[in-house]
Amino acid sequence: MKDGTETGLKAREICDLSLTEVSAGIRGGAFGPVEVTEAVLARMTALEPGLTSYVTITAERALQRAAQAEAELAAGLYRGPLHGVPVAVKDLCETSFAPTTGGMAIHKGNETGRDSTVVTRLEQAGAVMLGKLAMTEGAYSGHHPEMPTPVNPWYAKAWVGSSSSGSGVATAAGLCFGSLGSDTGGSIRFPSSACGITGLKGTWGRVSRHGVFALADSLDHVGPMARSAADCAAMMQVLAGADPADPTTLDAPVPDYLAGLSAPIRGLRIGVDASMIVEGVSAETAEVMRGVIAAYEALGAEIVPISLPFPPETSAHWTVLCAIEVALAHKETYPARKAEYGPYLGGLLAMGQEVTAEEVGAAMQWRLVYNGALSRVMEAVDTVLLPVTAAPLPNLDNALGAPSEGGEDADLGDLLKFTAPADLTGFPALTMPGGFDRRGAPIGFQIMGKALSEGLLLRAGHAFQSVTDWHTRRPDLTPFL
C-alpha cells in the first residue's frame, strides 16, 4: 500500500502528462483509467474553485465510464488511443447526460436529451467524459456576467481567449487531457495560444456540427484542443469524417493522422510574409516568429517569401457575415428576451438585426473574391506561418477594450487579422505554443494549410515540437490552491 504522499505525487505526475502519454501509460499498464480519472477529479477539487473552467462536472458518471473502460481493456477490447482517457467538451456540444448552456444565462439547465455527433464519437472511442467547459456567451467574444469566466493558469490577469476559454484553461491546467473547442473567428486558436496548448481548427466540414450550438453556421468549426500535435492527431482521428446528420460534412477519406506524424518535413514549403508577421507585429511576437522560422529551417523546411492578401476591411466583412448568421441562430430568443443577454453578444445581435441586404450582399461578394485571392497564394506553398495575435495578451476579457498593463505591446490592434482568414476560407490551421511574454504569459503561433491538409499540419506541428519544448512546459498552479 502506497502512502498518501507517494499517491499524491503520482497523481500530480499523471495530470501533467499529455493525452498520448496517458494513453500509452494506460495501454502499458502503468496506471488504469480509474486511477487517472480519480487523479484528474482530485485536481479539479483543488483547483477548479480558482480557475472556474467548468460549468458542469459529471464526476460520478466519469468514474463509471472509467471503470467500464478498465474492464474492457482487461478483457482485451481496445478502442484506440482515447480509450480510458479523461476529456471534456465545450458547453455548446449537446450531451444527453448534462445541460448544454452555450455560455448563455437564458439556457441554464437546458436539457436537450441528445448527444452531439462529436460527443458520440468520443465516447464510442472510449474517452471518459468529465463534463462541460465554460465559454463566452453564445461563443462570441465576451462572457455573460452571470456565467463563469475562466482564469488563465499562466498569468491570472491575462486574457484566456474567446470563446473556448474553459477548454484552454482546463487543458493547460491538467483538468482534462484534451477538450473540444469551436472556432468562428479564432476561438480554438485564441485560447490555445493564450493558455500555452495546441489546437486544431480543421477544414470547414471536416468535423460534424450536428448537435453543436451555432454562432455562424458558414464560419463555425469544431476541433480538438490538447497539449501537443500528437494529442490533437489522436482526437482528430475520432472526430473527423462525414456525418449523415450533418449534410455539410465533407465526404472525404480520413487518413491515419497518428501514423503520419513522424515523417520528415524536409522540403516542406512554408510561406512567410515577413513584412506582416515579423516586422508588422510587437517585438515579443516577432521574437517568437523568428524562433519558429529558425526551427523549421533547421528541420529542412523551405521558407518561401509570400505576400499575404490580408486587407484591413477583412474584420468588418467578417463581422457583417457573423452578425447576420447570429441573428438567425437566436431568432427564437432575441429580441424577445433581449434584456437577458450580455453586452457582447447582445451588441452583435442588435447589429445583425440592423444590417442591410446591400451590406450582406457586399460582404458575401467580397468573401468570394478574398477566398480566391488567398487560395492563389496558397498554391505556391504547402503551409503559411502566422501569429495568432499581433501582440501579447491583454487583460482578462478585455481583448476588445483598452490596452493592458503589458504596455504598448499589449495593443492587439485588429484582433481578427491573423485568425479570420482561415474561417472565411475554411482552411485548416494548427496553433502551437512558441514562447512567453515578459509577464510569463504564453505566445502562440499558427500554421495554415490548404483544404483537407490536417495531416500535413499535424506532421509539421509534431516536427516542431520534436525539437522544441514549449508544449511540455506547465503552469505553476500553486496560486490557485
Side-chain angles (χ1 to χ4, degrees), residues 117-161:
T117 295
V118 287
V119 168
T120 297
R121 289 182 175 179
L122 287 172
E123 294 215 306
Q124 287 176 342
V128 175
M129 201 67 62
L130 294 166
K132 311 294 287 291
L133 294 161
M135 55 180 286
T136 58
E137 184 182 22
Y140 190 49
S141 62
H143 296 86
H144 190 282
E146 297 177 16
M147 301 297 283
T149 298
V151 179
N152 194 315
W154 287 97
Y155 181 71
K157 294 181 181 180
W159 186 47
V160 287

Side-chain angles (χ1 to χ4, degrees), residues 162-435:
S162 298
S163 65
S164 309
S165 51
S167 300
V169 171
T171 304
L175 306 186
C176 63
F177 294 101
S179 58
L180 291 188
S182 66
D183 197 306
T184 305
S187 295
I188 286 173
R189 291 163 289 162
F190 288 139
S192 293
S193 177
C195 295
I197 62 172
T198 304
L200 176 63
K201 183 204 79 69
T203 305
W204 190 83
R206 197 41 154 156
V207 176
S208 173
R209 291 176 293 111
H210 171 68
V212 178
F213 278 18
L215 176 60
D217 275 317
S218 75
L219 297 164
D220 289 350
H221 304 69
V222 180
M225 299 169 64
R227 283 174 162 165
S228 70
D231 292 355
C232 286
M235 294 185 71
M236 195 65 171
Q237 193 69 54
V238 169
L239 299 169
D243 176 18
D246 178 1
T248 67
T249 49
L250 301 175
D251 189 13
V254 178
D256 189 332
Y257 295 122
L258 279 171
L261 281 183
S262 298
I265 65 165
R266 182 167 297 279
L268 182 75
R269 297 168 300 164
I270 301 178
V272 170
D273 185 338
S275 65
M276 182 177 293
I277 74 166
V278 178
E279 299 163 17
V281 297
S282 73
E284 289 176 287
T285 304
E287 181 180 0
V288 168
M289 299 310 295
R290 284 192 290 266
V292 173
I293 292 169
Y296 274 117
E297 286 181 319
L299 287 163
E302 178 186 355
I303 303 301
V304 180
I306 60 171
S307 179
L308 288 169
F310 283 13
E313 66 268 23
T314 300
S315 293
H317 286 305
W318 178 92
T319 302
V320 168
L321 293 168
C322 184
I324 189 65
E325 293 194 39
V326 169
L328 289 171
H330 290 260
K331 63 182 180 181
E332 299 299 326
T333 52
Y334 190 95
R337 301 174 67 179
K338 178 179 178 179
E340 299 174 67
Y341 279 82
Y344 292 99
L345 184 59
L348 184 66
L349 283 164
M351 176 184 176
Q353 297 230 322
E354 296 170 1
V355 70
T356 67
E358 182 179 354
E359 289 172 320
V360 173
M364 292 175 67
Q365 290 180 351
W366 176 90
R367 184 181 187 183
L368 290 173
V369 174
Y370 174 78
N371 287 1
L374 188 53
S375 295
R376 292 282 179 87
V377 172
M378 295 293 293
E379 288 175 4
V381 295
D382 299 309
T383 68
V384 170
L385 180 63
L386 297 167
V388 176
T389 56
L393 306 173
N395 277 347
L396 179 66
D397 223 12
N398 193 36
L400 305 181
S404 72
E405 66 184 69
E408 61 181 5
D409 281 355
D411 183 1
L412 290 172
D414 182 357
L415 183 63
L416 299 176
K417 180 176 183 177
F418 296 114
T419 55
D423 290 304
L424 288 163
T425 60
F427 288 158
L430 179 72
T431 293
M432 294 176 284

Side-chain angles (χ1 to χ4, degrees), residues 79-99:
R79 297 182 182 272
L82 299 188
H83 202 173
V85 178
V87 301
V89 298
K90 185 174 180 177
D91 197 29
L92 47 60
C93 301
E94 292 185 354
T95 48
S96 58
F97 52 85

